Amino acid sequence: DSGVTQTPKHLITATGQRVTLRCSPRSGDLSVYWYQQSLDQGLQFLIQYYNGEERAKGNILERFSAQQFPDLHSELNLSSLELGDSALYFCASSTGLNTEAFFGQGTRLTVV
Amino acid sequence: AQSVTQPDIHITVSEGASLELRCNYSYGATPYLFWYVQSPGQGLQLLLKYFSGDTLVQGIKGFEAEFKRSQSSFNLRKPSVHWSDAAEYFCAVGARWGGSQGNLIFGKGTKLSVKP
């Protein structure tokens, strides 16, 4: 157990809908990262937050957004969902910027 | 552009045999390199990492990896594979634009099967 908690574990929704994925980082970790793992694209970095501020942005679609709250948990919002958004979404956290990132077990999103 | 290539999609080895998983990277400077393992239904666990110094790094679970700058490679090895090592293995390079150890560019992964 990495100490990073992601909810829900599984999510099935219809095209066009909006969903929110939640991540609770390890206690004391300030940095949160979101990744998408799909069969087509593999593991891709989406976005990073550090102490509430956006730190780095990767291949994140405009339909997707994220935020990190004062208690340091983070949410990834996915809207206008398409079939191609079906994937495993991972959250990772680290204490700081130059420390190892620990991954959660992921949220499997299925868009039907 | 930065990239990571894992040429082997699937490898099968016998239990007790040695293992080498290949990883090649493309990067303009000295890279930060990582190997992660993903067991079915689990998240990714860091096996080892290389930042600088000794080019042979030791990790958890008996794994080691060697950084070879001339070959742009960071191959993962284990002298004797156990059935519990069956999983998918990902090589990653630290993204230059991120500056954090969590900003990673991953390879496509190598799935390891272990024969009894």
Side-chain angles (χ1 to χ4, degrees), chain B residues 1-31:
Chain B
Q2 296 172 265
S3 64
V4 176
T5 302
Q6 294 180 247
D8 303 306
I9 296 173
H10 190 188
I11 283 183
T12 300
V13 300
S14 297
E15 191 168 15
S18 64
L19 171 70
E20 182 168 26
L21 302 183
R22 296 184 290 164
C23 172
N24 293 96
Y25 65 88
S26 171
Y27 195 89
T30 301

mmCIF file of all heavy atoms in Angstrom, chain B residues 1-31:
data_model
loop_
_atom_site.group_PDB
_atom_site.id
_atom_site.type_symbol
_atom_site.label_atom_id
_atom_site.label_comp_id
_atom_site.label_asym_id
_atom_site.label_seq_id
_atom_site.Cartn_x
_atom_site.Cartn_y
_atom_site.Cartn_z
ATOM 1 N N ALA B 1 12.959 15.240 -29.150
ATOM 2 C CA ALA B 1 11.991 15.102 -28.065
ATOM 3 C C ALA B 1 12.382 13.921 -27.185
ATOM 4 O O ALA B 1 13.008 12.967 -27.646
ATOM 5 C CB ALA B 1 10.594 14.876 -28.631
ATOM 6 N N GLN B 2 12.030 14.046 -25.938
ATOM 7 C CA GLN B 2 12.330 12.939 -25.020
ATOM 8 C C GLN B 2 11.420 11.758 -25.303
ATOM 9 O O GLN B 2 10.227 11.930 -25.566
ATOM 10 C CB GLN B 2 12.102 13.388 -23.586
ATOM 11 C CG GLN B 2 13.020 14.492 -23.138
ATOM 12 C CD GLN B 2 12.602 15.014 -21.781
ATOM 13 O OE1 GLN B 2 11.877 15.991 -21.666
ATOM 14 N NE2 GLN B 2 13.036 14.335 -20.744
ATOM 15 N N SER B 3 11.991 10.568 -25.223
ATOM 16 C CA SER B 3 11.181 9.371 -25.419
ATOM 17 C C SER B 3 11.859 8.187 -24.757
ATOM 18 O O SER B 3 13.066 8.226 -24.460
ATOM 19 C CB SER B 3 10.962 9.086 -26.903
ATOM 20 O OG SER B 3 12.188 8.788 -27.530
ATOM 21 N N VAL B 4 11.071 7.168 -24.523
ATOM 22 C CA VAL B 4 11.579 5.932 -23.941
ATOM 23 C C VAL B 4 11.059 4.774 -24.781
ATOM 24 O O VAL B 4 9.855 4.718 -25.083
ATOM 25 C CB VAL B 4 11.109 5.773 -22.487
ATOM 26 C CG1 VAL B 4 11.567 4.436 -21.921
ATOM 27 C CG2 VAL B 4 11.646 6.915 -21.628
ATOM 28 N N THR B 5 11.944 3.865 -25.135
ATOM 29 C CA THR B 5 11.556 2.706 -25.929
ATOM 30 C C THR B 5 11.855 1.426 -25.170
ATOM 31 O O THR B 5 12.980 1.221 -24.699
ATOM 32 C CB THR B 5 12.331 2.674 -27.267
ATOM 33 O OG1 THR B 5 12.069 3.872 -27.983
ATOM 34 C CG2 THR B 5 11.891 1.473 -28.100
ATOM 35 N N GLN B 6 10.833 0.615 -25.044
ATOM 36 C CA GLN B 6 11.016 -0.725 -24.501
ATOM 37 C C GLN B 6 10.693 -1.681 -25.647
ATOM 38 O O GLN B 6 9.529 -1.876 -25.991
ATOM 39 C CB GLN B 6 10.096 -0.951 -23.298
ATOM 40 C CG GLN B 6 10.454 -0.064 -22.107
ATOM 41 C CD GLN B 6 9.534 -0.296 -20.924
ATOM 42 O OE1 GLN B 6 8.762 0.568 -20.543
ATOM 43 N NE2 GLN B 6 9.623 -1.478 -20.321
ATOM 44 N N PRO B 7 11.709 -2.258 -26.257
ATOM 45 C CA PRO B 7 11.495 -3.001 -27.498
ATOM 46 C C PRO B 7 10.721 -4.310 -27.333
ATOM 47 O O PRO B 7 10.142 -4.799 -28.292
ATOM 48 C CB PRO B 7 12.912 -3.269 -28.012
ATOM 49 C CG PRO B 7 13.831 -2.959 -26.891
ATOM 50 C CD PRO B 7 13.118 -2.141 -25.893
ATOM 51 N N ASP B 8 10.715 -4.853 -26.137
ATOM 52 C CA ASP B 8 10.045 -6.121 -25.912
ATOM 53 C C ASP B 8 8.697 -5.907 -25.261
ATOM 54 O O ASP B 8 8.628 -5.393 -24.151
ATOM 55 C CB ASP B 8 10.911 -7.030 -25.027
ATOM 56 C CG ASP B 8 12.285 -7.259 -25.624
ATOM 57 O OD1 ASP B 8 12.340 -7.681 -26.791
ATOM 58 O OD2 ASP B 8 13.285 -6.986 -24.937
ATOM 59 N N ILE B 9 7.631 -6.301 -25.963
ATOM 60 C CA ILE B 9 6.290 -6.118 -25.414
ATOM 61 C C ILE B 9 6.007 -7.185 -24.361
ATOM 62 O O ILE B 9 5.406 -6.910 -23.323
ATOM 63 C CB ILE B 9 5.239 -6.193 -26.532
ATOM 64 C CG1 ILE B 9 5.438 -5.031 -27.512
ATOM 65 C CG2 ILE B 9 3.824 -6.162 -25.962
ATOM 66 C CD1 ILE B 9 4.570 -5.105 -28.739
ATOM 67 N N HIS B 10 6.458 -8.419 -24.636
ATOM 68 C CA HIS B 10 6.160 -9.529 -23.756
ATOM 69 C C HIS B 10 7.370 -10.458 -23.708
ATOM 70 O O HIS B 10 7.930 -10.795 -24.755
ATOM 71 C CB HIS B 10 4.930 -10.284 -24.272
ATOM 72 C CG HIS B 10 4.400 -11.296 -23.320
ATOM 73 N ND1 HIS B 10 3.395 -12.183 -23.662
ATOM 74 C CD2 HIS B 10 4.715 -11.589 -22.023
ATOM 75 C CE1 HIS B 10 3.122 -12.958 -22.617
ATOM 76 N NE2 HIS B 10 3.908 -12.624 -21.619
ATOM 77 N N ILE B 11 7.765 -10.841 -22.510
ATOM 78 C CA ILE B 11 8.882 -11.776 -22.321
ATOM 79 C C ILE B 11 8.433 -12.873 -21.382
ATOM 80 O O ILE B 11 7.742 -12.602 -20.385
ATOM 81 C CB ILE B 11 10.108 -11.047 -21.743
ATOM 82 C CG1 ILE B 11 10.813 -10.244 -22.829
ATOM 83 C CG2 ILE B 11 11.070 -12.014 -21.101
ATOM 84 C CD1 ILE B 11 12.071 -9.546 -22.347
ATOM 85 N N THR B 12 8.811 -14.103 -21.722
ATOM 86 C CA THR B 12 8.531 -15.240 -20.836
ATOM 87 C C THR B 12 9.851 -15.869 -20.430
ATOM 88 O O THR B 12 10.679 -16.179 -21.297
ATOM 89 C CB THR B 12 7.648 -16.297 -21.526
ATOM 90 O OG1 THR B 12 6.403 -15.688 -21.902
ATOM 91 C CG2 THR B 12 7.372 -17.459 -20.590
ATOM 92 N N VAL B 13 10.035 -16.048 -19.146
ATOM 93 C CA VAL B 13 11.239 -16.713 -18.644
ATOM 94 C C VAL B 13 10.827 -17.796 -17.662
ATOM 95 O O VAL B 13 9.744 -17.759 -17.075
ATOM 96 C CB VAL B 13 12.211 -15.727 -17.956
ATOM 97 C CG1 VAL B 13 12.659 -14.659 -18.925
ATOM 98 C CG2 VAL B 13 11.576 -15.117 -16.731
ATOM 99 N N SER B 14 11.699 -18.758 -17.483
ATOM 100 C CA SER B 14 11.452 -19.819 -16.513
ATOM 101 C C SER B 14 11.854 -19.358 -15.126
ATOM 102 O O SER B 14 12.798 -18.563 -14.971
ATOM 103 C CB SER B 14 12.245 -21.075 -16.883
ATOM 104 O OG SER B 14 11.826 -21.572 -18.131
ATOM 105 N N GLU B 15 11.133 -19.842 -14.136
ATOM 106 C CA GLU B 15 11.477 -19.495 -12.762
ATOM 107 C C GLU B 15 12.907 -19.949 -12.469
ATOM 108 O O GLU B 15 13.306 -21.062 -12.833
ATOM 109 C CB GLU B 15 10.508 -20.162 -11.788
ATOM 110 C CG GLU B 15 10.636 -19.633 -10.373
ATOM 111 C CD GLU B 15 9.491 -20.076 -9.478
ATOM 112 O OE1 GLU B 15 8.768 -21.009 -9.875
ATOM 113 O OE2 GLU B 15 9.324 -19.489 -8.396
ATOM 114 N N GLY B 16 13.667 -19.050 -11.855
ATOM 115 C CA GLY B 16 15.065 -19.335 -11.557
ATOM 116 C C GLY B 16 16.033 -18.863 -12.633
ATOM 117 O O GLY B 16 17.239 -18.775 -12.377
ATOM 118 N N ALA B 17 15.509 -18.558 -13.804
ATOM 119 C CA ALA B 17 16.375 -18.065 -14.883
ATOM 120 C C ALA B 17 16.675 -16.592 -14.674
ATOM 121 O O ALA B 17 15.990 -15.894 -13.925
ATOM 122 C CB ALA B 17 15.708 -18.286 -16.232
ATOM 123 N N SER B 18 17.699 -16.117 -15.378
ATOM 124 C CA SER B 18 18.030 -14.700 -15.286
ATOM 125 C C SER B 18 17.123 -13.896 -16.216
ATOM 126 O O SER B 18 16.516 -14.423 -17.152
ATOM 127 C CB SER B 18 19.497 -14.485 -15.663
ATOM 128 O OG SER B 18 19.695 -14.842 -17.016
ATOM 129 N N LEU B 19 17.065 -12.597 -15.937
ATOM 130 C CA LEU B 19 16.161 -11.716 -16.673
ATOM 131 C C LEU B 19 16.886 -10.439 -17.059
ATOM 132 O O LEU B 19 17.663 -9.882 -16.269
ATOM 133 C CB LEU B 19 14.968 -11.354 -15.783
ATOM 134 C CG LEU B 19 14.026 -10.262 -16.302
ATOM 135 C CD1 LEU B 19 13.231 -10.777 -17.484
ATOM 136 C CD2 LEU B 19 13.104 -9.776 -15.197
ATOM 137 N N GLU B 20 16.640 -9.975 -18.269
ATOM 138 C CA GLU B 20 17.080 -8.642 -18.661
ATOM 139 C C GLU B 20 15.978 -8.001 -19.481
ATOM 140 O O GLU B 20 15.564 -8.539 -20.507
ATOM 141 C CB GLU B 20 18.382 -8.669 -19.465
ATOM 142 C CG GLU B 20 18.866 -7.259 -19.825
ATOM 143 C CD GLU B 20 20.290 -7.217 -20.367
ATOM 144 O OE1 GLU B 20 20.746 -8.229 -20.925
ATOM 145 O OE2 GLU B 20 20.954 -6.169 -20.199
ATOM 146 N N LEU B 21 15.510 -6.868 -19.020
ATOM 147 C CA LEU B 21 14.506 -6.082 -19.742
ATOM 148 C C LEU B 21 15.187 -4.847 -20.304
ATOM 149 O O LEU B 21 15.866 -4.115 -19.587
ATOM 150 C CB LEU B 21 13.367 -5.679 -18.809
ATOM 151 C CG LEU B 21 12.614 -6.818 -18.124
ATOM 152 C CD1 LEU B 21 11.474 -6.261 -17.281
ATOM 153 C CD2 LEU B 21 12.082 -7.803 -19.140
ATOM 154 N N ARG B 22 14.961 -4.621 -21.588
ATOM 155 C CA ARG B 22 15.677 -3.544 -22.275
ATOM 156 C C ARG B 22 14.922 -2.225 -22.236
ATOM 157 O O ARG B 22 13.688 -2.200 -22.298
ATOM 158 C CB ARG B 22 15.930 -3.949 -23.726
ATOM 159 C CG ARG B 22 16.851 -5.157 -23.860
ATOM 160 C CD ARG B 22 17.137 -5.449 -25.315
ATOM 161 N NE ARG B 22 15.959 -5.973 -26.007
ATOM 162 C CZ ARG B 22 15.844 -6.018 -27.326
ATOM 163 N NH1 ARG B 22 16.808 -5.567 -28.102
ATOM 164 N NH2 ARG B 22 14.759 -6.523 -27.886
ATOM 165 N N CYS B 23 15.691 -1.162 -22.168
ATOM 166 C CA CYS B 23 15.130 0.190 -22.179
ATOM 167 C C CYS B 23 16.125 1.111 -22.873
ATOM 168 O O CYS B 23 17.299 1.161 -22.495
ATOM 169 C CB CYS B 23 14.875 0.677 -20.767
ATOM 170 S SG CYS B 23 14.384 2.426 -20.665
ATOM 171 N N ASN B 24 15.656 1.844 -23.867
ATOM 172 C CA ASN B 24 16.464 2.871 -24.518
ATOM 173 C C ASN B 24 15.749 4.206 -24.398
ATOM 174 O O ASN B 24 14.527 4.267 -24.470
ATOM 175 C CB ASN B 24 16.692 2.528 -25.990
ATOM 176 C CG ASN B 24 17.554 1.295 -26.146
ATOM 177 O OD1 ASN B 24 17.067 0.188 -26.315
ATOM 178 N ND2 ASN B 24 18.861 1.493 -26.070
ATOM 179 N N TYR B 25 16.499 5.245 -24.228
ATOM 180 C CA TYR B 25 15.897 6.552 -24.043
ATOM 181 C C TYR B 25 16.493 7.541 -25.031
ATOM 182 O O TYR B 25 17.588 7.357 -25.566
ATOM 183 C CB TYR B 25 16.119 7.040 -22.610
ATOM 184 C CG TYR B 25 17.570 7.286 -22.291
ATOM 185 C CD1 TYR B 25 18.170 8.519 -22.546
ATOM 186 C CD2 TYR B 25 18.375 6.266 -21.794
ATOM 187 C CE1 TYR B 25 19.509 8.725 -22.296
ATOM 188 C CE2 TYR B 25 19.708 6.462 -21.540
ATOM 189 C CZ TYR B 25 20.279 7.686 -21.799
ATOM 190 O OH TYR B 25 21.610 7.891 -21.561
ATOM 191 N N SER B 26 15.756 8.617 -25.230
ATOM 192 C CA SER B 26 16.222 9.728 -26.039
ATOM 193 C C SER B 26 16.140 10.966 -25.174
ATOM 194 O O SER B 26 15.061 11.310 -24.675
ATOM 195 C CB SER B 26 15.349 9.899 -27.284
ATOM 196 O OG SER B 26 15.675 11.086 -27.966
ATOM 197 N N TYR B 27 17.304 11.607 -24.969
ATOM 198 C CA TYR B 27 17.346 12.753 -24.048
ATOM 199 C C TYR B 27 18.594 13.549 -24.360
ATOM 200 O O TYR B 27 19.625 12.975 -24.672
ATOM 201 C CB TYR B 27 17.377 12.232 -22.611
ATOM 202 C CG TYR B 27 17.074 13.261 -21.545
ATOM 203 C CD1 TYR B 27 15.770 13.489 -21.144
ATOM 204 C CD2 TYR B 27 18.093 13.982 -20.937
ATOM 205 C CE1 TYR B 27 15.482 14.419 -20.153
ATOM 206 C CE2 TYR B 27 17.816 14.908 -19.965
ATOM 207 C CZ TYR B 27 16.503 15.127 -19.569
ATOM 208 O OH TYR B 27 16.226 16.046 -18.607
ATOM 209 N N GLY B 28 18.492 14.867 -24.271
ATOM 210 C CA GLY B 28 19.638 15.680 -24.681
ATOM 211 C C GLY B 28 20.735 15.814 -23.662
ATOM 212 O O GLY B 28 21.833 16.243 -23.987
ATOM 213 N N ALA B 29 20.471 15.461 -22.428
ATOM 214 C CA ALA B 29 21.484 15.632 -21.388
ATOM 215 C C ALA B 29 21.463 14.381 -20.509
ATOM 216 O O ALA B 29 20.884 13.370 -20.879
ATOM 217 C CB ALA B 29 21.169 16.877 -20.569
ATOM 218 N N THR B 30 22.134 14.445 -19.385
ATOM 219 C CA THR B 30 22.104 13.301 -18.474
ATOM 220 C C THR B 30 20.698 13.143 -17.919
ATOM 221 O O THR B 30 20.171 14.055 -17.287
ATOM 222 C CB THR B 30 23.091 13.501 -17.312
ATOM 223 O OG1 THR B 30 24.397 13.655 -17.849
ATOM 224 C CG2 THR B 30 23.060 12.289 -16.391
ATOM 225 N N PRO B 31 20.097 12.022 -18.169
ATOM 226 C CA PRO B 31 18.703 11.842 -17.760
ATOM 227 C C PRO B 31 18.565 11.327 -16.340
ATOM 228 O O PRO B 31 19.508 10.784 -15.772
ATOM 229 C CB PRO B 31 18.215 10.775 -18.748
ATOM 230 C CG PRO B 31 19.433 9.922 -18.972
ATOM 231 C CD PRO B 31 20.626 10.855 -18.908
#
